[in-house]
Amino acid sequence: MNSNIELLEQNDPAVYAALRGEESRQRSGIELIPSENYTFPEVLATLGSVFTNKYSEGYPGRRYYGGQEFTDQIENLARDRAKAVFRCEHANVQPLSGSAMNQAVYLGLLEPGDTIMAMDLSHGGHLTHGAPVSHMGKLFNFIRYVTDPSDGSVDYDQVRKDALTHKPKLVLCGYTSYPRDIDYAKFKAIADEVGAITMTDASHFGGLVAGEAMNNPFDFGFDIVTTTTHKSLRGPRGGMVLCRKPFAKKIDKSVFPGLQGGPHMNAVAAIAVTLKKAQTEEFKQYAQQVLINSKTLANALMSNQATLITGGTDNHMMVVDTVASFGLDGRRAEEVLDKVQITTNKQIIPDDPLPPLRPSGIRIGTPAATTRGMVGSDMEQLAGWIIDSLKAPEDEANLERIRCEVEAFCTRFPVPGI
Ligand code: DSN
């Protein structure tokens, strides 16, 4: 009998060709977008499994469809493993992805119009942290804190002042483009002063918390932690809401039936697989190496004329001010690096005078490169290619030389599952 992939090749050559093209792109270039990763081969197998065929509205033991023997097993496994990995009292593994998981928290615990404090998008927050263009930004009263212009880090004194003035019901920390760790004790103290619920959106660094390389907000008494599962955690595309027991019922009701219908059980099964991996010593070493690689890459870039927002990194990512460093806007820098098969993404920087599609910087992160087995010396090599490319963006011969070197380098680092 033909394998599934052979059937695809025979019956849909256009999709098959794109799939093979993407495989080759992922193999022959260096992935530095901080929110991307290469998932485990077992996750790829589970995602393409028969669990994709099944409707499972409800929760284990209380479903609205029959035939749930095995879906119940995998959802229970995913929930139990999530609780063990993140040391929390309750886990909902059904959110379809990051936006849904954050929306489920706001809508489940608050009323429309309530005040939430979260980080401003242009200073590193996420769209769902109340950006005015998002539905959440319209539905709730977001007070958006910004970073301290002197060093680009969170200004906790200002956060406290704003909290005392606006009395938020929920204080949210977490980011999508911020290269520093979070002082959870300070956020918790501020929230306690005004009686607010504490929430961390750990989407970017969920895997680093799971691998015990970064602090766990629950150790500081936080109420809610959300995380996507496909970034540093290396799982399928999905989201989880983790919380203390008193919030469990409201969170579950908010995810289903409040916000979503049938969960994607193939993704839930793949989350279970990921969370077993996350409990291994190998994963802990991976999480540590992500941070080592990030610091090494940041230091190598900074010692070669790159200006980094906040002057470095404590986590898996760095934000390069490409205008200050190389006289190139972020879009141009992204395009130049694309030419040498190094993938980054253009990024607004705090108080960016340029627009989002042509901002002043790029974002770089190490989770995917670390998954391929790259270490500190490889980061120094990488920094050299980035600097050489961005210093001479018009020198096509030089860019082609670098591209060839990058492609040859990549053959030493297999991509899991491809
Ligand atoms: N798009 C994600 C990121 O790149 O950070 C956040 O949702």
Side-chain angles (χ1 to χ4, degrees):
M1 204 176 91
N2 283 337
S3 72
N4 293 342
I5 200 77
E6 282 165 349
L7 282 176
L8 181 69
E9 182 178 14
Q10 275 168 27
N11 297 329
D12 198 334
V15 168
Y16 177 82
L19 191 152
R20 289 296 191 212
E22 178 62 14
E23 277 182 357
S24 153
R25 189 195 70 79
Q26 291 192 13
R27 235 192 326 242
S28 58
I30 302 171
E31 183 54 70
L32 291 181
I33 294 175
S35 49
E36 294 191 13
N37 212 331
Y38 304 104
T39 193
F40 298 100
E42 295 91 332
V43 165
L44 288 177
T46 313
L47 278 174
S49 73
V50 291
F51 281 118
T52 205
N53 299 338
K54 190 73 194 108
Y55 256 123
S56 306
E57 267 117 322
Y59 291 101
R62 280 169 58 93
R63 306 274 194 193
Y64 291 80
Y65 293 77
Q68 304 292 346
E69 183 183 352
F70 301 106
T71 47
D72 278 7
Q73 280 177 23
I74 55 143
E75 188 165 351
N76 279 328
L77 268 178
R79 296 199 299 194
D80 290 345
R81 289 175 182 173
K83 287 193 278 181
V85 167
F86 289 94
R87 297 192 295 282
C88 63
E89 292 170 357
H90 182 72
N92 188 307
V93 294
Q94 292 194 5
L96 301 181
S97 210
S99 296
M101 97 205 155
N102 285 343
Q103 287 168 21
V105 175
Y106 308 151
L107 294 164
L109 304 185
L110 307 174
E111 295 298 325
D114 277 353
T115 299
I116 301 175
M117 275 187 72
M119 198 176 208
D120 189 78
L121 176 77
S122 65
H123 286 251
H126 186 246
L127 270 175
T128 55
H129 299 175
V133 291
S134 75
H135 290 315
M136 292 302 107
K138 297 186 181 98
L139 206 53
F140 294 95
N141 175 37
F142 275 91
I143 305 299
R144 295 186 298 275
Y145 52 85
V146 296
T147 50
D148 185 338
S150 67
D151 63 359
S153 60
V154 170
D155 181 346
Y156 291 94
D157 292 336
Q158 191 57 47
V159 172
R160 179 169 178 269
K161 274 187 207 146
D162 287 348
L164 293 175
T165 306
H166 299 283
K167 303 268 185 304
K169 291 244 172 83
L170 187 148
V171 171
L172 165 59
C173 57
Y175 47 77
T176 183
S177 179
Y178 180 70
R180 294 297 176 184
D181 201 358
I182 294 169
D183 190 333
Y184 296 109
K186 278 193 183 150
F187 267 112
K188 171 77 174 136
I190 292 167
D192 283 352
E193 253 189 286
V194 296
I197 296 166
T198 40
M199 169 177 173
T200 302
D201 179 348
S203 291
H204 261 263
F205 49 92
L208 306 176
V209 173
E212 295 174 3
M214 289 188 80
N215 282 328
N216 182 336
F218 287 119
D219 292 342
F220 297 81
F222 266 57
D223 298 312
I224 313 278
V225 176
T226 56
T227 181
T228 49
T229 49
H230 48 276
K231 298 187 176 88
S232 52
L233 194 56
R234 288 193 60 193
R237 304 195 85 82
M240 300 193 288
V241 181
L242 313 165
C243 64
R244 295 198 305 109
K245 228 206 178 99
F247 299 94
K249 267 201 177 122
K250 281 187 173 172
I251 291 295
D252 282 355
K253 264 182 87 172
S254 183
V255 173
F256 173 85
L259 192 63
Q260 296 182 178
H264 295 176
M265 292 315 285
N266 57 333
V268 171
I271 288 173
V273 170
T274 304
L275 291 169
K276 181 157 192 269
K277 294 273 187 188
Q279 294 176 47
T280 60
E281 196 49 43
E282 203 183 342
F283 192 82
K284 287 194 178 99
Q285 282 165 15
Y286 163 74
Q288 291 290 352
Q289 191 65 47
V290 168
L291 295 186
I292 292 168
N293 284 353
S294 185
K295 260 213 184 338
T296 310
L297 183 55
N299 288 338
L301 289 171
M302 286 190 296
S303 55
N304 281 286
Q305 97 174 45
T307 304
L308 265 54
I309 302 301
T310 77
T313 178
D314 297 329
N315 58 21
H316 62 295
M317 78 163 97
M318 60 217 75
V319 182
V320 186
D321 182 336
T322 51
V323 173
S325 312
F326 309 101
L328 296 177
D329 65 58
R331 178 162 140 194
R332 181 86 178 101
E334 178 193 293
E335 285 165 1
V336 171
L337 292 173
D338 267 344
K339 283 193 183 172
V340 299
Q341 293 172 199
I342 294 176
T343 312
T344 61
N345 74 277
K346 60 179 121 5
Q347 179 64 41
I348 40 177
I349 63 171
D351 300 316
D352 203 326
L354 298 180
L357 281 174
R358 195 177 274 285
S360 297
I362 55 172
R363 217 174 39 150
I364 293 180
T366 51
T370 307
T371 295
R372 287 179 83 166
M374 294 176 200
V375 294
S377 51
D378 302 312
M379 295 300 115
E380 278 158 14
Q381 168 73 78
L382 254 174
W385 283 323
I386 292 170
I387 297 283
D388 285 353
S389 304
L390 297 181
K391 265 188 183 166
E394 310 295 343
D395 185 344
E396 293 294 339
N398 191 44
L399 292 179
E400 179 55 16
R401 173 190 62 80
I402 295 171
R403 192 196 67 74
C404 292
E405 286 177 10
V406 167
E407 201 164 301
F409 171 84
C410 284
T411 59
R412 289 175 30 215
F413 300 96
V415 175
I418 301 186

